[in-house]
Amino acid sequence: MNGHSNGKVNDTVEEFHRNNSFNGLVIDTKKSAEHRQHGTSREEDADECRLPALEAAYASILRELGEDAGRQGLLRTPLRAAKAMQFLTKGYHETIEDILNNAIFDEDHDEMVIVKNIDVFSLCEHHLVPFFGKVHIGYIPNKKVVGLSKLARIVEIFSRRLQVQERLTKQIAVGISQALEPKGVAVVIEAAHMCMIMRGVQKMNSRTVTSTMLGVYLEDPKTREEFLSLSKSA
Amino acid sequence: MEHSEPTEQADGGSALNGHFDRTGKRPVPGGSGCASAAASAGAPQPPRAEPGAPRPVMESWREERTRSVEDNQTSLPSLAAAYTTILRGLGEDPQRQGLLKTPWRAATAMQFFTKGYQEKIIDVLNDAIFDEDHDEMVIVKDIDMFSMCEHHLVPIFGRVHIGYLPNKRVLGLSKLARIVEIYSRRLQVQERLTKQIAVAITEALKPTGVGVVIEATHMCMVMRGVQKMNSKTVTSTMLGVFREDPKTRDEFLALIRS
């Protein structure tokens, strides 16, 4: 379930965070940042059978909110909402291996590769309300480069889940570093959280920025700076 | 078709977000156009056309709430149970730390997103209508609006621009934004939302004309389905002189664009 109860990634993460400045984060990582590499918590075929239960839940929600579930606009809403929710959490039945298998190439390139402005949409696991924004990913290959769209697909796998932005950032970074074993990976996410905009404090223009720097991005400030300035250019 | 008073419709159908019978058919009195606000299809209750009987004014003000603050408390457990089912159905583990209280948070959040069902226009507007000898356009623009798509239960957000030409009566400016809040915090369709706002202002103030423009992003189109990130939907309702006189309409549209 979204990176829990799986100790495999821990060593990799700790290796990269030897500098201790992220010690607090490492402790947290033991509980939450691992991704499931080999199994999925949801099978794609099971989606159809789970639909009725989801539909019933949504129908009950409509009633409890004081709406008339029989009116024309709402007649098929439980079904549509259930399918929409399944789509928005489809990351649960995808693994990195499935999408990356063929697209890793041996190239003698050791300069930074950046893919920026990847639109990301996820669901806040606390309120089940969307948050969305942009991801910028950079990595320095170590003899192996990855097909560029695969970076965006990795983002999709982890973002289409019930997430916390911090964990999402880390999972993307760790996923890339495990697949490619590059010299360093950097991921920055800037997102707007509807749970803060539509409700609660209701701050329209607030944005949350999280980042994960692994490998040479963590150790060398100049490399980090280069990534940050290249990913910010208009 | 007989129009009964909204309060007499036993099942409260009239109050449900502008629909007042379960079949969804909305009888439209008389003419074909929407020249008068009250005849528009999205209006909560068109006035009776019977001659001699006094025309009921401000029908929508008498809408019953379909939900009260106390109802919120009592429905919370079943809403939370529904959300727990949803979490399980999606393949998640509702017992993990991040999700432990999510059903309650999600339920409360959803109740907040539909709090328009607990509010009536009349409560919000009662005191803030003033007699002013002003007959020039009044515009409140860039009102942030957040609603929920009634088809997918996914957010819609955007901006509302409202303009009206007073006819001896003006409205407190924040009340325009409050009208937007009441109607937008519901399960909505953008077309209906636009019309409801326009009709509410018309019924409250009887102005010479009202114009409402909404420009919004629908997450159901952006996050799923066609997935068009930059698409925006624009709807507008022009009533009274805004509809009849193109120059007035142009002035309104130019001012909201600047």
Side-chain angles (χ1 to χ4, degrees):
Chain A
M1 330 291 161
N2 204 16
H4 291 253
S5 64
N6 179 339
K8 284 189 208 126
V9 174
N10 229 3
D11 299 337
T12 325
V13 173
E14 279 182 291
E15 198 182 329
F16 280 120
H17 285 280
R18 220 173 286 131
N19 280 353
N20 280 350
S21 47
F22 290 89
N23 230 358
L25 209 51
V26 171
I27 294 170
D28 215 44
T29 333
K30 284 187 179 46
K31 284 188 285 192
S32 63
E34 299 108 16
H35 66 275
R36 201 173 263 258
Q37 230 178 348
H38 299 291
T40 58
S41 63
R42 195 167 104 198
E43 292 302 323
E44 202 160 346
D45 321 311
D47 273 2
E48 282 287 327
C49 346
R50 295 190 194 221
L51 220 41
L54 288 174
E55 271 188 76
Y58 274 111
S60 132
I61 289 174
L62 287 181
R63 267 191 323 269
E64 298 292 337
L65 291 176
E67 258 287 4
D68 166 21
R71 71 173 170 88
Q72 190 208 35
L74 294 186
L75 267 181
R76 293 183 57 212
T77 291
L79 178 62
R80 283 186 293 241
K83 284 194 179 162
M85 196 51 120
Q86 282 186 331
F87 179 85
L88 297 178
T89 53
K90 69 180 167 70
Y92 288 123
H93 49 64
E94 295 163 349
T95 65
I96 300 244
E97 296 174 322
D98 298 331
I99 57 156
L100 281 190
N101 253 342
N102 300 321
I104 298 183
F105 309 104
D106 298 311
E107 281 288 331
D108 201 10
H109 184 83
D110 59 355
E111 298 281 345
M112 201 180 301
V113 178
I114 298 179
V115 180
K116 60 179 187 170
N117 293 336
I118 302 171
D119 290 302
V120 65
F121 301 94
S122 190
L123 279 177
C124 155
E125 72 178 14
H126 300 138
H127 301 93
L128 300 186
V129 171
F131 67 92
F132 52 88
K134 291 197 191 290
V135 188
H136 312 292
I137 299 178
Y139 74 103
I140 299 188
N142 186 10
K143 304 293 181 236
K144 294 202 276 188
V145 300
V146 71
L148 298 171
S149 78
K150 302 300 176 277
L151 293 171
R153 287 186 191 275
I154 293 178
V155 170
E156 274 283 293
I157 287 184
F158 291 118
S159 63
R160 299 287 187 182
R161 298 182 178 192
L162 303 185
Q163 274 289 9
V164 161
Q165 192 177 327
E166 297 86 336
R167 184 195 314 138
L168 172 60
T169 323
K170 191 165 230 68
Q171 284 179 320
I172 295 171
V174 165
I176 296 170
S177 66
Q178 282 202 309
L180 294 182
E181 287 150 358
K183 295 195 178 129
V185 180
V187 178
V188 173
I189 300 186
E190 179 173 336
H193 289 245
M194 293 267 95
C195 53
M196 262 182 82
I197 295 179
M198 280 179 81
R199 60 166 290 289
V201 275
Q202 298 192 58
K203 297 296 181 188
M204 311 289 152
N205 302 315
S206 65
R207 299 285 179 272
T208 305
V209 181
T210 53
S211 64
T212 297
M213 306 286 171
L214 301 177
V216 72
Y217 284 96
L218 185 63
E219 290 149 18
D220 181 8
K222 283 203 184 320
T223 314
R224 205 184 316 151
E225 227 176 280
E226 184 185 341
F227 166 70
L228 293 174
S229 73
L230 282 173
S231 60
K232 268 200 197 359
S233 49
Chain B
M1 181 170 166
E2 282 285 76
H3 299 289
S4 48
E5 295 290 339
T7 47
E8 285 169 25
Q9 288 197 358
D11 55 10
S14 67
L16 292 165
N17 203 17
H19 296 254
F20 51 86
D21 74 339
R22 283 178 198 273
T23 62
K25 288 198 287 276
R26 236 168 274 112
V28 178
S32 50
C34 295
S36 86
S40 60
Q45 178 85 337
R48 273 181 278 206
E50 295 157 31
R55 181 184 133 140
V57 187
M58 299 186 263
E59 296 275 2
S60 66
W61 289 34
R62 283 197 237 113
E63 272 176 33
E64 294 299 320
R65 288 187 205 96
T66 57
R67 205 166 95 191
S68 66
V69 176
E70 297 77 32
D71 284 344
N72 280 353
Q73 286 298 321
T74 44
S75 358
L76 213 48
S78 27
L79 277 173
Y83 275 109
T84 311
T85 313
I86 291 172
L87 288 179
R88 246 182 243 119
L90 295 175
E92 261 285 6
D93 167 22
Q95 296 307 311
R96 71 171 170 90
Q97 191 208 35
L99 294 186
L100 266 180
K101 290 182 65 194
T102 292
W104 274 264
R105 282 185 293 239
T108 319
M110 194 52 114
Q111 285 184 331
F112 181 87
F113 295 145
T114 51
K115 69 178 167 66
Y117 292 125
Q118 315 167 187
E119 297 163 346
K120 293 199 299 184
I121 301 277
I122 197 168
D123 297 330
V124 157
L125 290 187
N126 243 346
D127 304 333
I129 298 179
F130 309 103
D131 298 311
E132 281 288 330
D133 199 11
H134 185 84
D135 60 355
E136 298 283 343
M137 203 181 294
V138 177
I139 297 179
V140 180
K141 61 179 190 169
D142 293 334
I143 301 170
D144 290 305
M145 177 274 300
F146 301 96
S147 190
M148 292 294 274
C149 160
E150 73 178 14
H151 300 139
H152 301 93
L153 300 185
V154 171
I156 302 170
F157 55 90
R159 293 193 156 159
V160 185
H161 312 286
I162 302 177
Y164 73 101
L165 258 175
N167 185 10
K168 304 289 182 252
R169 300 204 294 180
V170 298
L171 185 60
L173 297 171
S174 79
K175 302 303 176 273
L176 292 169
R178 286 186 192 274
I179 292 178
V180 170
E181 271 285 290
I182 287 185
Y183 286 123
S184 63
R185 297 287 188 185
R186 296 182 179 191
L187 303 184
Q188 273 289 10
V189 161
Q190 192 177 326
E191 296 87 336
R192 185 196 312 137
L193 172 61
T194 322
K195 202 166 225 69
Q196 283 178 319
I197 296 170
V199 164
I201 297 171
T202 308
E203 293 189 349
L205 293 181
K206 302 268 170 286
T208 319
V210 177
V212 177
V213 173
I214 299 186
E215 183 177 327
T217 306
H218 291 241
M219 293 264 90
C220 53
M221 264 183 80
V222 168
M223 281 180 82
R224 61 165 288 289
V226 274
Q227 298 192 59
K228 296 297 182 187
M229 311 291 152
N230 302 315
S231 66
K232 287 197 174 23
T233 306
V234 182
T235 52
S236 64
T237 298
M238 304 290 173
L239 302 175
V241 71
F242 280 77
R243 189 180 199 99
E244 288 147 22
D245 180 10
K247 284 204 183 323
T248 313
R249 203 184 320 147
D250 282 347
E251 183 187 340
F252 170 59
L253 294 175
L255 284 171
I256 62 177
R257 216 167 281 138
S258 59

